């Protein structure tokens, strides 16, 4: 090795069993060997193996040659990253794609591609859930499966909301009441039980033919009821054996 | 033995100092000479050796190297050192113009 110090220095060579290591010590009256005229708050830079010089902030910037916006990230107009920002970024999967069908579907959203008639879905303006009563102008219905409902008691409220076809085996002389809405209808299959009778006046306002049908003593008598405005109309359709 | 570098850390192995017999049963007349030699060796070991030309150091040397007076030269470190051996090298002049070369031998 070649030493070119300008003085005020000594080297201590110590053999560590393998090689001569060395330690550099400055003259204790001189302190750290420096070049130039370092001042307080300067940064230190080695100019050779044993000499340090002071460098100002501007000089260090020039030494490093780091240009914000080119070599390092410049502060954004909206500010620098705050605590928590990295955690948010870490939560985003690699190559995250908000249009990915798997991700969107997994999140519970509906993709346009999943809709057979997208425009119709987007035009939907009323609820079609089970308990809703949507209005359709002119639906084409291939089949209607009515809910069959068993009427009980002797003063039942006849309500189409229970089912379009309702069966009723009388358990006593009965007086049904009106729970039909305007435009609603219901078909009743009535078994008179042990020759019980029905008083219709709380339900039916007018019968086709002028009188209520006579209930068959065996099997069912079938009665159709429908409401127009506030009046319930009734018609006996006949008896089933 | 001619210097501290040749002293042994095993007392029984130190039977001479610079050829002065200090072995068991040695002549009493040699003891004062041996003590004086040991003191001289110690003083020499602590002192800086001034060198202006090539020099091969021995362990525990402290060498001031002057490359201004006669020019650049080489200071060679011991070729067969033991673990822990040391040599101090100091500057009695600037080495900037005439560099000092250290022959490290390892």
């Amino acid at each position: 090795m070649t030493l070119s110090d300008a003085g005020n220095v000594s080297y201590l060579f110590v053999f560590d069993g393998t090689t001569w290591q060395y330690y550099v010590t400055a003259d204790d009256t001189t302190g750290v060997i420096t070049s130039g005229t370092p001042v307080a708050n300067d940064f230190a830079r080695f100019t050779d193996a044993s000499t340090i010089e002071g460098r100002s902030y501007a000089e260090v910037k020039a030494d490093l040659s780091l240009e914000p916006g080119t070599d390092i990230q410049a502060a954004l107009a909206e500010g620098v990253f705050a605590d928590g920002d990295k955690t948010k970024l870490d939560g985003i999967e690699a190559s995250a794609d908000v249009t990915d069908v798997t991700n969107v579907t997994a999140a519970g959203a509906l993709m346009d591609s999943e809709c057979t008639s997208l425009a119709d879905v987007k035009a939907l303006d009323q609820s079609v859930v089970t308990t809703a009563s949507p209005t359709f102008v002119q639906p084409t219905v291939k089949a209607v499966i009515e809910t069959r409902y068993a009427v009980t008691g002797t003063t039942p409220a006849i309500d189409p909301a229970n089912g379009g076809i309702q069966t009723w085996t009388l358990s006593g002389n009965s007086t049904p009441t009106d729970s039909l809405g305007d435009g609603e209808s219901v078909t009743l299959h009535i078994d008179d039980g042990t020759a019980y009778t029905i008083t219709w006046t709380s339900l039916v306002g007018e019968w086709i033919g002028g009188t209520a049908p006579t209930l068959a003593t065996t099997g069912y008598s079938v009665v159709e009821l429908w409401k127009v405005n506030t009046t319930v109309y009734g018609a006996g359709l006949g008896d089933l054996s | 033995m001619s210097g501290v570098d040749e002293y042994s850390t095993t007392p029984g192995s130190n039977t001479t100092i610079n050829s002065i017999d200090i072995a068991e049963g040695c002549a009493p007349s040699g003891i004062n000479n041996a003590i004086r030699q040991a003191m001289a060796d110690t003083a020499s070991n602590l002192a800086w050796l001034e060198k202006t030309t090539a020099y091969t150091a021995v362990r525990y040397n402290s060498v001031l190297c002057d490359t201004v007076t006669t020019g650049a030269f080489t200071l060679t470190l011991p070729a067969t050192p033991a673990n822990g051996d040391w040599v101090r090298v100091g500057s009695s002049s600037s080495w900037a113009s005439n560099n000092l070369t250290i022959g490290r031998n390892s």
Side-chain angles (χ1 to χ4, degrees), chain B residues 48-85:
Chain B
W48 287 90
L49 305 175
E50 292 265 3
K51 297 296 178 184
T52 58
T53 58
Y55 175 70
T56 298
V58 297
R59 63 178 182 166
Y60 311 141
N61 268 174
S62 297
V63 186
L64 281 177
C65 297
D66 174 3
T67 61
V68 172
T69 301
T70 57
F73 66 89
T74 297
L75 174 72
T76 304
L77 299 178
T80 55
N83 190 11
D85 284 357

